Amino acid sequence: MSDQTTPRKKIVLVGASGTLGRAVLTALRERGHEVVTASRKDADIALDITDPASVAELYRQVGRVDAVASAAGTVPWKRLGELAAEDVRDGFEGKVLSQVELVRQGLSSVAENGSFTLITGILAREPIRTGAVASLANGAVESFVRAAAIELPREQRINAVSPTVFEESLDAYGDFFPGFDPVPVRRAAAAYVRSIEGHQTGQIYRVE
Amino acid sequence: MSDQTTPRKKIVLVGASGTLGRAVLTALRERGHEVVTASRKDADIALDITDPASVAELYRQVGRVDAVASAAGTVPWKRLGELAAEDVRDGFEGKVLSQVELVRQGLSSVAENGSFTLITGILAREPIRTGAVASLANGAVESFVRAAAIELPREQRINAVSPTVFEESLDAYGDFFPGFDPVPVRRAAAAYVRSIEGHQTGQIYRVE
């Protein structure tokens, strides 16, 4: 191939401090990209993704970027019979609207041919108990990604990374995923590289 | 088979006045069931599905039921670049949280072996322009249905009906679905019968 060198991209990584976010940060820097991190704490830019004004401030500070990668999202974990309506709203605000805002407000900041990569997860298709809101949120984001892909301006692209439980998270969450085959988090990080450097759009990259 | 007669069930049908709701009402009455309709207007019980207090009042009035069937849900239709955060919230409240509330608040009203049947739609998997919020909402409800199925008490069941565009709606919406193969609305109504009288749970009945 004549064009083997990937051009260095400027990438905003949201949620760089978690297990997945750290792995994505490492993978993107190893690929030579300039990564600006945005998180509630310990990041280049302070960001509360559930606050649209904070998202607006992120884009004001960061300027034009080639890619936005999200590894952030929080949902409540409760049994169905214990869920309050407010829990369902919290999950929507914490993982769905927050990521939709990154896209909606990022339309004018992301370069031509630039990309958005959002995070979902296996619970969209394989439920576990206490995970109803997580499932709901993941399913919402995956369908949104497919839909946004056919409406993005200036050949922008959008994909989602939808991993199963990570080997690195088994101590904390393993009991919730009996018999699920865990993956090393670097495989999920590689899916972000694939989304950002590749040319597909509207894809849900299942890492399982 | 020794048990060919379907026992008459008491069913709450939410959203009985639309194209789909009327067809479901007809199908369920033809099967001999007692159907209590609940809608914003022209129904046995007045219901605003976006108001949790109204949902609570519905269940207080209707008492014990064998099935809850929802054919109701509204979402905004706008191009991605014109969506406001409030539009995304409106779609969540209008089609996702509303139907989750029917389940959440209905857990104690639905009989043992009773069922919930929710409405989604083909945009969960096949997007059209202006449909990003509809896609998001449908994807959310489908993943919620799969998740709730493994947590419902007393052998209650839950399924979703996910139809493509109806032949009866082509005049109004046909231009949004170029080349989509429309189905007669009675096929979607039959999927409600299948969900209510059958024994499956966690299923997404695609009618396309």
Side-chain angles (χ1 to χ4, degrees):
Chain A
M1 292 193 280
S2 61
D3 183 9
Q4 287 192 325
T5 308
T6 301
R8 177 181 165 89
K9 295 181 191 291
K10 181 176 177 183
I11 301 168
V12 175
L13 173 60
V14 174
S17 59
T19 301
L20 173 61
R22 289 193 308 270
V24 174
L25 181 60
T26 300
L28 293 176
R29 288 194 168 146
E30 282 176 0
R31 299 288 298 175
H33 299 303
E34 175 192 355
V35 184
V36 179
T37 60
S39 294
R40 208 176 284 264
K41 56 181 182 176
D42 301 331
D44 300 327
I45 298 178
L47 170 68
D48 173 2
I49 57 166
T50 67
D51 177 3
S54 182
V55 173
E57 178 60 19
L58 165 68
Y59 283 119
R60 197 193 62 74
Q61 286 189 45
V62 80
R64 178 58 53 109
V65 297
D66 297 301
V68 176
S70 167
T74 56
V75 295
W77 297 87
K78 287 188 184 175
R79 286 299 303 259
L80 182 67
E82 293 162 1
L83 275 181
E86 211 47 45
D87 294 317
V88 185
R89 277 201 188 90
D90 285 349
F92 169 75
E93 298 276 337
K95 193 162 185 180
V96 183
L97 188 62
S98 55
Q99 296 197 92
V100 170
E101 280 301 286
L102 285 175
V103 176
R104 207 183 61 78
Q105 295 199 39
L107 295 176
S108 55
S109 296
V110 169
E112 186 163 337
N113 296 309
S115 66
F116 298 92
T117 307
L118 306 186
I119 183 67
T120 64
I122 193 172
L123 299 193
R125 51 197 181 278
E126 301 281 350
I128 63 173
R129 284 184 174 172
T130 75
V133 177
S135 290
L136 182 158
N138 290 343
V141 173
E142 292 189 3
S143 290
F144 172 77
V145 161
R146 279 189 287 265
I150 64 170
E151 297 207 55
L152 287 172
R154 294 178 291 117
E155 303 185 56
Q156 292 172 359
R157 299 177 300 104
I158 184 168
N159 300 297
V161 176
S162 188
T164 188
V165 66
F166 301 130
E167 289 176 358
E168 292 81 353
S169 305
L170 281 184
D171 283 350
Y173 304 118
D175 288 349
F176 291 94
F177 294 87
F180 283 64
D181 202 10
V183 297
V185 69
R186 63 174 167 69
R187 280 193 52 209
Y192 282 78
V193 173
R194 184 175 169 192
S195 173
I196 292 168
E197 295 188 16
H199 300 89
Q200 291 186 304
T201 190
Q203 300 298 304
I204 314 300
Y205 294 117
R206 296 183 177 195
V207 182
E208 59 190 355
Chain B
M1 291 192 283
S2 61
D3 184 8
Q4 287 194 324
T5 308
T6 301
R8 177 180 166 89
K9 294 180 191 291
K10 181 177 177 182
I11 302 168
V12 175
L13 173 59
V14 174
S17 59
T19 300
L20 173 61
R22 289 194 307 271
V24 174
L25 181 60
T26 299
L28 294 176
R29 288 194 168 146
E30 282 176 359
R31 299 289 297 175
H33 299 303
E34 176 193 354
V35 184
V36 179
T37 60
S39 296
R40 208 177 286 263
K41 56 180 183 178
D42 301 331
D44 299 327
I45 298 177
L47 170 68
D48 173 2
I49 56 167
T50 67
D51 176 3
S54 182
V55 173
E57 178 60 19
L58 164 69
Y59 282 119
R60 198 193 60 74
Q61 285 189 43
V62 81
R64 178 58 53 108
V65 297
D66 297 301
V68 176
S70 167
T74 56
V75 295
W77 297 88
K78 286 187 184 176
R79 286 300 302 259
L80 182 67
E82 293 162 1
L83 275 181
E86 211 47 43
D87 293 318
V88 185
R89 277 202 188 89
D90 285 349
F92 169 74
E93 298 274 338
K95 193 163 186 180
V96 183
L97 188 62
S98 56
Q99 296 197 94
V100 170
E101 280 299 286
L102 286 174
V103 176
R104 207 182 61 77
Q105 295 199 37
L107 295 176
S108 55
S109 296
V110 169
E112 186 163 337
N113 296 309
S115 66
F116 298 92
T117 307
L118 306 186
I119 183 68
T120 64
I122 193 170
L123 299 193
R125 51 197 180 278
E126 300 281 350
I128 62 173
R129 284 184 173 172
T130 75
V133 177
S135 290
L136 182 158
N138 290 343
V141 173
E142 293 188 3
S143 290
F144 172 76
V145 161
R146 280 189 287 265
I150 64 170
E151 297 208 55
L152 287 172
R154 294 178 290 117
E155 302 185 56
Q156 293 173 359
R157 300 177 299 104
I158 184 168
N159 300 296
V161 176
S162 188
T164 187
V165 65
F166 301 130
E167 289 176 357
E168 292 81 353
S169 305
L170 281 184
D171 283 351
Y173 304 117
D175 288 350
F176 291 92
F177 293 89
F180 282 64
D181 202 10
V183 295
V185 70
R186 65 174 165 69
R187 281 194 50 210
Y192 282 78
V193 173
R194 184 176 169 192
S195 173
I196 292 168
E197 294 187 18
H199 300 90
Q200 291 186 304
T201 191
Q203 300 299 304
I204 313 300
Y205 294 117
R206 297 184 176 194
V207 182
E208 59 190 357

